[in-house]
Amino acid sequence: MQFSYLAIFLFFIILLAVLLIAPFRLSLNIGKEGALIAGSIKLAWLGATLMKMEIPPQSAAEEIRSNKDRRAGNENEDGKKKGKNERKISADNEKTGITRPPSIQSMINAAPALANIMLDLLKSILFKKFSCSLCFGLDDPSQTAIISGYLWSAASVLGLFPGRIFIDPCFEGERLEGELAVEIEARLLWAAFAVIQALRVREIRLLLREMMGWA
Amino acid sequence: MGITLEDIRLPEMDTRVLVGKEMIAGDRTIWPVMRISILKTCEDRILAIRITPLAMLVIEPTMEYAISFDGEPMTVEAVIELAASLRDVLEKARGSARIRID
């Protein structure tokens, strides 16, 4: 009997360890050529695809138009559902647990600790691949030259991915084309570690209590 | 397997003379002409960009003239020779200023 409990316990420990150590891999590919935008997003874990989303080739104008239509539709619906929404907001708050925004003072107090958490979280992210090529042009060639100088300076100062960022100024008129391919690997171990570290800081605990309405 | 002289690529300078965006001051339109020099590495990465203003073409309803930034007098033909795309601009301006008699 005791052996089976031990086996279940060990199984959960191993499962938790795998969950924390095995990296999640997020791949993002997006490109714009002419007026067409296309791309894909993929999230994989242990070789299995958890989520895959394809962005079919569509023109930027179409995308803007569909967004506008969606927004207009939402605004119409908003008018009708206003009464319903007011009731829903309180239900959503109950669901997320956040009852009110924190005070500025608590935010300021917690800022250094939050910065440390962000750094810890960044440690868990590993850029496996980063390539960006951008071809752009503004209506004024001098502005194109100035902006491209700024972009190259920023890319050099960052210095994180030398040789993988390519910016090509186009002086022949207004143009924006490019490709972005990013592959990120993240382990939950560091994220969990960052959360635990955060909960050990008094300012963060106070901030959370305030947000939950317990303070 | 040594590196031969053909394998070595030196940074190259790409120089273009371009016409900037027009500036309108009342009835007057000013077209700046500039030289953009781009210093590129052998991998086509940009090392430096230099913008040098060269001249400007000023178009008024009754006349057009060129001003050189080196202080020397400049003719309209000379500025068009510098930046050929200004020819279309000038012809368009002359066309709009022309009075049509049917």
Side-chain angles (χ1 to χ4, degrees):
Chain A
M1 190 70 179
Q2 266 185 350
F3 179 74
S4 64
Y5 279 131
L6 190 69
I8 292 166
F9 179 70
L10 274 174
F11 173 74
F12 277 108
I13 290 288
I14 291 166
L15 193 72
L16 188 70
V18 169
L19 194 73
L20 290 174
I21 293 165
F24 284 84
R25 185 170 286 192
L26 179 76
S27 311
L28 169 74
N29 282 292
I30 195 152
K32 184 178 182 288
E33 200 177 335
L36 293 176
I37 301 171
S40 68
I41 302 166
K42 188 179 154 191
L43 181 69
W45 185 63
L46 283 174
T49 306
L50 300 178
M51 189 195 85
K52 195 174 180 183
M53 210 169 83
E54 293 279 340
I55 303 164
Q58 59 180 336
S59 72
E62 263 176 49
E63 176 74 12
I64 291 164
R65 211 179 304 130
S66 67
N67 279 345
K68 268 187 184 171
D69 290 346
R70 221 176 294 147
R71 223 176 293 142
N74 285 346
E75 273 170 18
N76 287 340
E77 279 176 20
D78 280 353
K80 292 174 194 169
K81 291 181 180 173
K82 208 181 177 183
K84 278 184 189 174
N85 279 352
E86 277 168 9
R87 260 174 276 145
K88 257 189 183 177
I89 287 166
S90 60
D92 282 349
N93 283 344
E94 277 168 26
K95 214 182 274 178
T96 54
I98 297 166
T99 54
R100 60 183 168 144
S103 69
I104 294 167
Q105 188 57 49
S106 334
M107 288 285 281
I108 293 168
N109 290 342
L114 282 171
N116 286 338
I117 294 160
M118 289 307 290
L119 283 174
D120 280 341
L121 282 174
L122 277 176
K123 271 186 209 166
S124 67
I125 297 168
L126 183 71
F127 281 90
K128 297 290 282 184
K129 184 181 153 191
F130 186 98
S131 81
C132 169
S133 74
L134 179 72
C135 175
F136 81 99
L138 304 173
D139 59 348
D140 188 356
S142 63
Q143 287 299 319
T144 306
I146 291 167
I147 300 290
S148 101
Y150 283 144
L151 289 175
W152 271 111
S153 307
S156 306
V157 167
L158 283 174
L160 297 172
F161 321 104
R164 290 174 197 167
I165 296 178
F166 187 76
I167 302 153
D168 188 21
C170 167
F171 297 107
E172 279 75 42
E174 282 182 80
R175 189 176 168 191
L176 180 65
E177 280 181 11
E179 268 182 22
L180 176 72
V182 187
E183 213 173 280
I184 299 168
E185 227 177 59
R187 286 175 211 276
L188 283 183
L189 181 70
W190 287 107
F193 181 70
V195 170
I196 293 165
Q197 286 278 86
L199 291 174
R200 288 178 61 201
V201 180
R202 190 172 162 268
E203 284 81 11
I204 299 280
R205 285 200 305 270
L206 281 172
L207 187 75
L208 281 174
R209 263 188 222 155
E210 213 173 288
M211 284 166 77
M212 299 289 192
W214 298 340
Chain B
M1 284 293 282
I3 298 169
T4 61
L5 203 60
E6 285 81 38
D7 296 333
I8 301 168
R9 285 179 63 197
L10 294 170
E12 55 185 55
M13 183 75 91
D14 180 9
T15 304
R16 302 173 202 195
V17 175
L18 296 159
V19 179
K21 198 183 176 190
E22 82 270 30
M23 288 168 269
I24 299 166
D27 290 340
R28 194 176 285 127
T29 312
I30 303 161
W31 294 86
V33 179
M34 69 200 82
R35 187 197 295 122
I36 295 180
S37 310
I38 306 166
L39 182 65
K40 287 180 177 177
T41 64
C42 51
E43 293 154 337
D44 273 348
R45 290 168 62 85
I46 293 174
L47 281 175
I49 295 180
R50 185 176 182 178
I51 309 166
T52 318
L54 295 177
M56 58 186 186
L57 175 69
V58 185
I59 302 173
E60 290 180 10
T62 52
M63 63 186 292
E64 61 267 344
Y65 51 92
I67 299 169
S68 169
F69 289 122
D70 62 8
E72 296 293 315
M74 189 178 224
T75 60
V76 173
E77 283 69 35
V79 81
I80 287 171
E81 208 172 291
L82 212 58
S85 63
L86 278 178
R87 190 182 298 280
D88 298 335
V89 170
L90 200 61
E91 275 171 16
K92 207 176 160 187
R94 279 175 181 164
S96 64
R98 203 172 291 144
I99 301 164
R100 292 184 74 182
I101 302 167
D102 294 321

